[in-house]
């Protein structure tokens, strides 16, 4: 598990500089960044940190690095967050304006008396923009996995193969090599379909001389790669060579 404590310390520094008592984090990507927790839930970062989730993620919550007060509320994750805010006696509370809907804000305000809300935008995203060593390592691993799978699939491209079949082979290789999932829906297109920026693999059969476009990515340790390659199977015709140049 990545040590997320330095990331939380940087956010607490932001709280001190902005005279805030706590930060309610609802974006799943930001929850993962600050805690390593991948389930559904809400974080409260303050003098003491809290994680509000539900019983589906009871075991996962115990594996989160650092010292946390964990809440399992039947009436919603924000209820646990509100309970933690009351324990902190937090008044001036920052929240992610781009992620917490208005009804969620109403829930917090109704459960925490005297709440002074501080809407924020891109605070945690700006912290995330500078990657630490563990993040860079996971990104490199995701790229390496996808590179290897793509290289092997490229050698299998030949007339008679279908888009859907080759996409399935590519994804199988990536998962077998250690990807936890694909980073996004694989684009693998032959001939005329290769001109579509977001083509979906279908039943089109590859013909000799056609262009093949593959846009794919693997996810490893929560981080993604994104690779696009264009190939020609067989000998390219004059038009294809002109377009390439």
């Amino acid at each position: 598990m990545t040590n997320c404590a330095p990331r939380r310390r940087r956010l607490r520094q932001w709280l001190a500089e902005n005279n805030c008592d706590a930060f309610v984090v609802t974006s799943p990507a930001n929850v993962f960044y600050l805690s390593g927790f991948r389930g559904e839930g809400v974080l409260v970062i303050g003098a003491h940190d809290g994680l509000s989730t539900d019983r589906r993620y009871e075991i996962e919550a115990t594996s989160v690095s650092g010292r946390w007060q964990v809440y399992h509320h039947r009436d919603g994750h924000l209820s646990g967050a509100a309970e933690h805010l009351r324990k902190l006696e937090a008044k001036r509370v920052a929240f992610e304006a781009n992620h917490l809907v208005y009804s969620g804000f109403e829930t917090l305000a109704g459960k925490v008396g005297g709440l002074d809300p501080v809407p924020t935008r891109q605070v945690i995203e700006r912290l995330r923009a500078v990657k630490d060593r563990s993040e860079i390592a996971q990104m490199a691993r995701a790229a390496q996995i996808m590179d290897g799978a793509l290289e092997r699939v490229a050698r299998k491209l030949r007339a008679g193969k279908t888009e859907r079949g080759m996409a399935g082979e590519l994804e199988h290789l990536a998962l077998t090599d250690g990807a936890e999932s694909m980073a996004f829906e694989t684009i693998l297109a032959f001939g005329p379909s290769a001109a579509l920026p977001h083509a979906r693999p279908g039943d089109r059969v590859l013909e000799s001389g056609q262009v093949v476009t593959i846009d794919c990515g693997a996810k490893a340790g929560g981080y993604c790669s994104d690779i696009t390659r264009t190939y020609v199977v067989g000998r390219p015709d004059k038009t294809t060579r002109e377009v390439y140049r």
Side-chain angles (χ1 to χ4, degrees):
M1 175 66 70
T2 298
N3 180 13
C4 299
R7 303 171 186 176
R8 296 194 294 274
R9 283 198 296 270
R10 288 196 295 272
L11 186 57
R12 277 192 284 271
Q13 182 179 350
W14 182 93
L15 289 171
E17 292 170 352
N18 289 271
N19 194 30
C20 291
D21 302 316
F23 203 120
V24 176
V25 185
T26 49
S27 159
N30 291 341
V31 168
F32 170 69
Y33 175 76
L34 292 167
S35 68
F37 180 68
R38 299 196 194 191
E40 296 176 15
V42 175
L43 294 184
V44 177
I45 304 300
H48 304 286
D49 300 326
L51 168 62
S52 179
T53 183
D54 56 70
R55 293 293 178 185
R56 293 176 298 165
Y57 304 105
E58 185 172 4
I59 295 175
E60 290 93 329
T62 61
S63 66
V64 172
S65 64
R67 296 181 179 180
W68 295 84
Q69 176 69 54
V70 179
Y71 302 85
H72 301 98
H73 265 269
R74 292 182 178 180
D75 52 348
H77 302 146
L78 286 173
S79 295
E83 182 176 340
H84 194 68
L85 289 172
R86 290 195 297 269
K87 287 184 178 180
L88 293 175
E89 298 182 349
K91 297 302 180 184
R92 186 169 164 81
V93 176
F95 68 95
E96 299 175 288
N98 291 343
H99 299 287
L100 182 64
V101 298
Y102 186 72
S103 60
F105 165 76
E106 286 185 316
T107 297
L108 280 179
K111 293 178 180 292
V112 183
L115 182 68
D116 179 13
V118 180
T120 70
R121 290 172 174 82
Q122 301 297 308
V123 170
I124 301 171
E125 285 80 359
R126 283 193 289 270
L127 296 178
R128 286 172 47 198
V130 180
K131 302 303 182 187
D132 59 35
R133 289 183 180 180
S134 65
E135 291 178 289
I136 293 170
Q138 293 296 354
M139 293 161 65
R141 180 167 171 259
Q144 184 179 32
I145 289 170
M146 201 68 255
D147 268 336
L150 190 56
E151 183 179 343
R152 280 174 283 164
V153 160
R155 293 198 293 264
K156 296 182 179 183
L157 289 170
R158 59 180 63 91
K161 296 280 189 175
T162 66
E163 294 172 334
R164 188 176 289 113
M166 293 307 299
E169 286 195 50
L170 177 64
E171 294 179 359
H172 173 74
L173 286 169
L175 295 171
T176 300
D177 287 352
E180 61 193 55
S181 67
M182 302 305 290
F184 50 87
E185 186 176 355
T186 298
I187 298 170
L188 194 148
F190 300 157
S193 296
L196 304 176
H198 289 278
R200 290 186 171 182
D203 295 321
R204 186 181 294 277
V205 176
L206 181 59
E207 299 175 10
S208 182
Q210 283 187 328
V211 171
V212 177
T213 296
I214 304 178
D215 186 352
C216 55
K219 180 180 284 189
Y223 289 79
C224 300
S225 58
D226 185 348
I227 300 172
T228 303
R229 295 287 183 269
T230 302
Y231 306 94
V232 175
V233 174
R235 293 180 61 84
D237 59 23
K238 181 180 178 181
T239 300
T240 300
R241 290 195 298 270
E242 289 176 352
V243 169
Y244 177 79
R245 283 196 296 268

